[in-house]
């Protein structure tokens, strides 16, 4: 036995006799994970979080969470002699005087932007493929909470350097708190320890940023991953992939190498960002002072949609009644809209489940085109979100493109109401169109590019029939049809529990599944083949795919 | 009805799928099973495998080189000798870029090497693992219910309502100290949101230079950012400045709204600079249109209409600070603001 | 490093600089006082040549008597500084009507601009063109200038002088490449939407401090790598998505693809 093997043996024995490691290895190491690039998006977020922890710890060694006044005497001469806060001075010190400090701060900030961006696209993937369906609703909820907390955590980090941009952002935050009905001013005074900006807030925010939120993150991410292992990963539909299996590669060694390697790739790319691109040049902004402000006062991108919503809401929503101020110009965009969006996100899995009436486990993902209404809703939401995000940068767009900021704002107000429904309809139509194309392909085969000329001078292209494996991708989904609730009263005239909502449920179900294109059945394919033999090629194009139109008879009612 | 497949009209006028007795077709296609695995070059050609091995090793070698670069840059770029500001900034940039690119190579090399290794040399035949329903078997579930029922019975919670109710009462009360203990997070607002440092006779100083201003110092079309005298002496400097910051503008007196005339002095008017929307400094003054724009959310105020809102999310006009001159001829506040400055709050009314 | 900082930031260094600066400015200001009466010092030939240029290039809008017509303002009393700024930065003669006059190709020689300025200055007293010493960045304190800039300029021109949006298509221009003289003149005369920053409330020394700050930062290498334009978090967000996330997704696609 070689030395290495003996050492491995001893270590293994040591661990097994104390923690029963062999059972863990048996359970975990050969677990199968399916391979797809879109399954790595969540990992980008996870690894960004680890990078944030590592670089963040470095920053805490030098950052001073205090707004005590001090005179700046560091190397950045354009600030020499100015009265600044300790927090700001220490941010400059760690950027200019600590070797590698500038790089670490920039990696930390880039990583924060990438973190939230990766969470966002990960959520898109989960949503559009239906990965949130039973049994994964809880993980969707955890993920949603993580996404929201990531925004809060990012904003906290953005606010800590106590530069002009940080302070302007905090002033806006304090104004949102002030706008809370009845208790707003009390909440604001408790949060800031008195009047804005106060001396209490930066130290408090620091604790939240480096302790409270990262702690919650660690707990929720752990739960997220445990559920992932317990429930096993979803997989895309395909030959050999069923709802009862998972096809892919084992955790050890393939995924250890791939996922472990991917951590280094993410860290490397983030380091390159920090090396090449300046982010948040705090030295240019100066220490926070409530009197100055800069053109283009923006939050980081993930807060942009909220800022955009605030920009679009006209002032007429504020009014005074009974001697009290109702700031609906702030309450609507900063509380009601985000609140509703959060609720919609949290409860979406159950909304869809209610519409399908489907209580089975789903481990096979949907191709987005095969869930046209869901995909349409998703694109509609993203459109709305993007318009808000664009509004958050309306001044930058105006100054870079030399447009009128008033025109941009008014246009976005209009588009915010009009474009999302349009996006829904268009996306749904595109999905249905793609499904029809899939049907065509299955029924008439794949175009070979070989053109024949008949003796009468007509041309036709030879279509090669699809083999079983490639056909499966196009036909292997379940058509979902609108629900038809049972009669509200049974034969004894007793009302069925929950039947009062039948009407709503039927409407929602129809909204989802009335328009649909069903997969080709073996019988249809068989019929098409017979036809191929019987008919000249050119007549085939008249045939459309089956679309169950809204006029499809629905029984009952 | 909805449980049936709608009749496919794949060929108008044609009978669809005559039920052929000798050829019963399933309703759905069947999963054809895993496709045949295709071997990679490295699986069949030892040379290709050797090549992949060398590529992986090269990537790991690049990583080692990157680590070396990082260390060299860290020690080679010196900051401890006297140098000009521009030179210092240049070296800082070289250091940041050098360290970062070294780190990139060091990390990316390991990552790319590991992934390449997994892709080219580790087995790439897909494996299948069966899934099992997450729900426990019926026997498990019955056992669980039994345990829960037994435990509940053993605890006696159902039989002893006194214990149950007193426990619930205690649990409801116990978070109270946590709420009460947070009381000292901050003082009560009092009238802090409604008052500023400006009072009758407070001299107006330029921000940030701190110089007093005479009317003759300002011509039509000019702006001065102002703070009250004594601001730099108070302990709560930033808190006071966050409320008291204001702007001084000189217009043609004929352009001013009659409402703002009493507080004006020879066409010079002072307005709070704190936006009535979310407290950003409203300081973008267009002297030809007399518009004041807030850079945060684009609320626009018209100085010739007593700073009424003409665009954007703010509702209330900017409060005016009435001004006059003192015995020495310097501009002073005639009296403090007559209303709360800055963003709205519930009790503002 | 700290030794360097200490040496450059010797307490006396600042004092000496300020004293030198103050003395120099005082002397120069007394000697060269850009004058409200400065017009009289210009040779009559300049005024005459300027008048000819004015009639040929400006009178269509501003009127034969320069008293202004319709939308074109009166030029009586705007001073030589105004002309030097508007014509010297190519904003005038106006090319096309728009929300504001953009900076374009300068269409007159330095001599012609001087002649035009002399003519307009002769119409009525106004601020004169500052001398080179008056706008010398070397006599300004960049740190003090930074503080003044942030309160008085950054809200329109942005924290790094990169410009920003105003209402209805108007904008505060990017200050990169603007000469110290033109910056000084802009503050003094308040061109277009920009308000006036009087010498009474923002002294020539304040203005020189601002110029010194802008000169320092425009020459300063960006210590954190490419600057991304210094327009704030919007560009940073775009780069995070378009560069970083796109690169990472590219890596993920490579990772998920089968090896040949």
């Amino acid at each position: 036995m070689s030395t290495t093997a003996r050492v491995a043996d001893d270590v293994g024995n040591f661990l097994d006799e104390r923690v029963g490691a062999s059972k863990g290895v048996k359970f975990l190491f050969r677990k199968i994970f399916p391979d797809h690039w879109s399954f790595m998006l969540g990992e980008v977020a996870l690894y960004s979080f680890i990078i944030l922890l590592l670089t963040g710890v470095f920053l805490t060694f030098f950052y001073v969470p205090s707004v005590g006044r001090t005179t700046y005497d560091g190397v950045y001469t354009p600030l020499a002699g100015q009265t600044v806060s300790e927090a700001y001075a220490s941010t400059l010190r760690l950027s200019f005087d600590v070797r590698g400090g500038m790089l670490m701060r920039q990696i930390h900030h880039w990583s924060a932007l990438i973190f939230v961006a990766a969470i966002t696209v990960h959520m898109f993937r989960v949503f559009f493929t239906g990965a949130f369906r039973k049994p994964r609703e809880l993980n969707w909820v955890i993920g949603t909470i993580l996404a929201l907390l990531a925004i809060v955590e990012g904003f906290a980090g953005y606010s800590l350097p106590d530069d002009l941009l940080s302070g302007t952002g905090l002033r806006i935050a304090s104004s949102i708190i002030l706008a809370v009905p009845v208790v707003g001013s009390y909440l604001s005074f408790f949060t800031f320890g008195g009047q804005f900006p106060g001396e209490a807030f930066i130290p408090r925010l620091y604790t939240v940023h480096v302790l409270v939120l990262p702690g919650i993150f660690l707990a929720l991410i752990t739960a997220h991953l445990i559920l992932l292992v317990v429930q096993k990963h979803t997989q895309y539909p395909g030959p050999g992939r069923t709802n009862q299996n998972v096809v892919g590669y084992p955790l050890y060694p393939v995924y250890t190498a791939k996922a472990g390697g991917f951590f280094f790739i993410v860290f490397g790319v983030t380091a390159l960002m920090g090396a090449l691109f300046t982010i948040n040049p705090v030295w240019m902004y100066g220490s926070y002072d409530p009197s100055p402000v800069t053109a283009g006062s923006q939050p980081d991108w993930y807060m942009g949609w909220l800022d955009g919503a605030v920009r679009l809401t006209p002032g007429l929503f504020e009014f005074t009644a009974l001697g009290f101020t109702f700031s609906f110009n702030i309450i609507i965009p900063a509380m009601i809209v985000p609140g509703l969006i959060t609720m919609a996100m949290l409860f979406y899995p159950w909304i869809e489940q209610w519409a399908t009436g489907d209580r089975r486990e789903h481990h096979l993902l949907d191709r987005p085109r095969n869930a046209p209404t869901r995909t349409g809703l998703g694109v509609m939401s993203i459109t709305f979100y993007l318009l808000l995000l664009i509004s958050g940068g309306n001044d930058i767009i105006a100054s870079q493109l030399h447009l009128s900021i008033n025109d941009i704002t008014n246009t976005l107000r209009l588009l915010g109401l009009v474009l999302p429904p349009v996006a829904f309809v268009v996306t749904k139509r595109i999905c249905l169109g793609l499904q029809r194309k899939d049907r065509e392909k299955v029924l008439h085969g794949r175009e070979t590019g070989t053109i024949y000329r008949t003796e009468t001078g007509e041309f036709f292209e030879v279509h090669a029939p699809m083999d079983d494996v490639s056909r499966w991708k196009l036909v292997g989904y379940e058509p979902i049809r609108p629900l038809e609730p049972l009669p509200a009263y049974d034969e004894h005239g007793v009302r069925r529990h929950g039947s009062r909502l039948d009407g709503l449920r039927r409407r929602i179900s129809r909204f989802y599944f009335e328009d649909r294109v069903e997969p080709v059945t073996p019988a249809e394919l068989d019929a098409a083949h017979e036809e191929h033999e019987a008919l000249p090629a050119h007549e085939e194009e008249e045939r459309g795919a089956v679309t169950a139109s809204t006029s499809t008879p629905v029984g009952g009612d | 009805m909805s449980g049936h497949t709608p009749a496919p009209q794949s060929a108008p006028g044609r009978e669809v799928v005559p039920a052929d007795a000798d050829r019963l077709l399933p309703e759905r296609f069947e999963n054809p099973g895993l496709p045949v695995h295709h071997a990679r070059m490295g699986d069949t050609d030892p040379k290709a495998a050797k090549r992949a091995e060398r590529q992986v090793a090269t990537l790991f070698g690049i990583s080692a080189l990157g680590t070396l670069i990082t260390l060299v840059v860290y020690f080679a770029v010196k900051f401890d000798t006297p140098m000009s500001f521009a030179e210092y900034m240049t070296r800082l940039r070289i250091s940041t870029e050098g360290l970062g690119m070294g780190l990139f190579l060091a990390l990316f090399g390991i990552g790319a090497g590991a992934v390449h290794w997994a892709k080219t040399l580790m087995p790439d035949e897909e494996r299948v693992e069966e899934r099992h329903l997450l729900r426990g078997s019926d026997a498990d579930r019955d056992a669980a219910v039994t345990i829960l029922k037994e435990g509940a019975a053993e605890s006696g919670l159902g039989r002893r309502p006194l214990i149950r109710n007193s426990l619930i009462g205690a649990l409801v009360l116990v978070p109270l100290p946590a709420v009460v203990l947070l009381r000292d997070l901050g003082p009560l607002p009092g009238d802090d949101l409604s008052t500023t440092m400006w009072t009758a006779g407070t001299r107006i100083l330029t921000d940030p230079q701190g110089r007093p201003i005479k009317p003759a110092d300002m011509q039509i079309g000019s702006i001065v950012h102002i703070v009250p005298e004594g601001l730099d002496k108070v302990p709560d400097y930033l808190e006071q400045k966050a409320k008291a910051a204001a702007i001084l503008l000189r217009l043609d007196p004929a352009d001013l709204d009659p409402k703002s005339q009493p507080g004006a002095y020879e066409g010079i008017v002072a307005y709070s600079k704190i936006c009535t929307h979310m407290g950003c400094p409203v300081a973008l003054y267009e002297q030809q249109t007399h518009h004041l724009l807030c850079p945060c959310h684009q609320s626009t105020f018209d100085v010739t209409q007593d700073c009424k809102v003409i665009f954007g999310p703010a509702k209330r006009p900017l409060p005016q600070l009435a001004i006059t001159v003192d015995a020495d001829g310097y501009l002073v506040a005639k009296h403090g603001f007559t209303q709360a400055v800055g963003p709205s709050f519930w009790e503002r009314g | 490093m700290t030794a360097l900082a200490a040496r450059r930031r010797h307490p006396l260094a600042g004092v000496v600089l300020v004293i030198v600066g103050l003395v120099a400015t005082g002397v120069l200001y007394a000697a060269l006082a850009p004058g409200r009466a400065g017009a009289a010092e210009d040779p009559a030939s300049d005024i005459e040549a300027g008048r000819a240029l004015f009639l040929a290039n400006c009178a269509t809008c501003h009127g034969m008597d320069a008293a202004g017509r319709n939308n074109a303002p009166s030029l009586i009393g705007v001073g030589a500084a105004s002309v030097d700024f508007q014509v010297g930065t190519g904003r005038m003669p106006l090319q096309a009507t728009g929300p504001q006059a953009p900076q374009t190709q300068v269409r007159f020689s330095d001599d012609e601009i001087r002649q035009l300025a002399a003519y307009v200055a002769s119409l009525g007293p106004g601020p004169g063109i500052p001398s080179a010493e008056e706008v010398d960045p070397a006599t300004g304190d960049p740190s003090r200038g930074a503080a003044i800039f942030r309160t008085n300029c950054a809200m329109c021109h942005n924290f790094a002088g990169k410009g920003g949006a105003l209402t209805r298509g108007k904008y505060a221009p990017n200050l990169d490449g603007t000469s110290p003289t033109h910056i000084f003149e802009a503050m003094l005369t308040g061109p277009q939407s920009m308000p006036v920053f009087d010498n009474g409330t923002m002294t020539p020394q304040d203005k020189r401090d601002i110029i010194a700050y802008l000169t320092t930062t425009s020459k300063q290498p960006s210590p954190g790598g490419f600057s991304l334009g210094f327009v704030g978090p919007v560009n940073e967000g775009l780069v995070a998505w378009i560069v970083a996330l796109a690169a990472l997704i590219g890596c993920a696609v490579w990772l998920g693809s089968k090896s040949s």
Side-chain angles (χ1 to χ4, degrees), chain C residues 112-137:
Chain C
E112 288 168 328
I113 294 170
R114 198 189 67 240
Q115 290 161 353
L116 266 175
Y119 168 67
V120 171
S122 74
L123 299 173
I129 301 169
S131 65
E133 292 77 9
E134 239 185 318
V135 302
D136 186 1

Side-chain angles (χ1 to χ4, degrees), chain B residues 40-42 79-86 88-90 92-93 96-97 108 111-112 115-116 119-120 124 126 206-209 211 213 217-225 241 273 281 283-289 291 293 295 300 310-311, chain C residues 1-4 7-8 36 73 127 144 147-148 151-153 155-156 165-168 170 188-203 206 216 219-227 251 253-260:
Chain B
R40 293 164 298 186
M41 273 195 318
F79 294 95
D80 51 359
T81 46
M83 68 186 97
S84 71
F85 171 66
Y88 194 98
M89 291 295 119
T90 308
L92 186 54
R93 178 166 184 163
T96 305
E97 289 178 345
F108 199 86
V115 171
H116 193 55
K119 277 170 52 119
T120 55
D124 83 328
E126 289 182 314
T206 62
D207 182 28
Q209 305 97 320
R211 276 190 296 265
I213 306 156
D217 291 337
M218 295 182 69
Q219 54 176 297
I220 289 174
S222 68
I223 184 171
V224 187
H225 296 261
K241 193 171 186 181
K273 182 170 152 181
L284 287 74
Y285 177 55
E286 300 174 4
Q287 61 121 334
Q288 287 178 335
T289 57
H291 291 171
L293 173 70
T300 310
I310 55 168
F311 188 80
Chain C
M1 187 157 56
T2 40
L4 153 85
R7 223 166 300 169
R8 201 173 49 231
R36 300 211 161 219
R144 191 168 175 274
I148 301 173
T151 303
N152 291 275
C153 319
M155 67 293 215
C156 298
L166 299 175
T167 67
R168 300 183 204 291
K170 296 187 284 295
L188 198 57
T189 61
Q192 306 191 26
S193 292
M194 180 165 163
V196 177
F197 294 87
D198 305 270
N199 275 347
T201 55
M202 186 187 280
T203 62
D206 293 345
T216 311
K219 281 195 296 201
Q220 147 201 331
S222 170
F226 296 110
S227 72
C251 291
V253 170
W254 170 65
L255 184 146
S257 68
K258 277 212 181 296
S259 178
S260 58

Side-chain angles (χ1 to χ4, degrees), chain A residues 285-301:
Chain A
Y285 289 110
S287 189
Y288 179 60
D289 180 315
S291 170
V293 68
T294 169
S297 284
Q298 246 94 14
D300 274 342
W301 79 264

Side-chain angles (χ1 to χ4, degrees), chain B residues 38-83:
Chain B
H38 296 285
R40 293 164 298 186
M41 273 195 318
D43 295 335
T44 50
D45 180 3
K47 265 198 236 154
K50 197 72 201 163
R51 194 163 56 237
E53 187 182 340
R54 276 198 303 272
Q55 286 165 344
V56 172
T58 308
L59 284 165
F60 290 156
I62 289 174
S63 164
L65 182 72
T67 306
L68 196 68
I69 292 175
T70 310
L71 295 177
V72 168
V73 170
Y74 188 87
F75 291 107
V77 183
K78 301 268 184 218
F79 294 95
D80 51 359
T81 46
M83 68 186 97

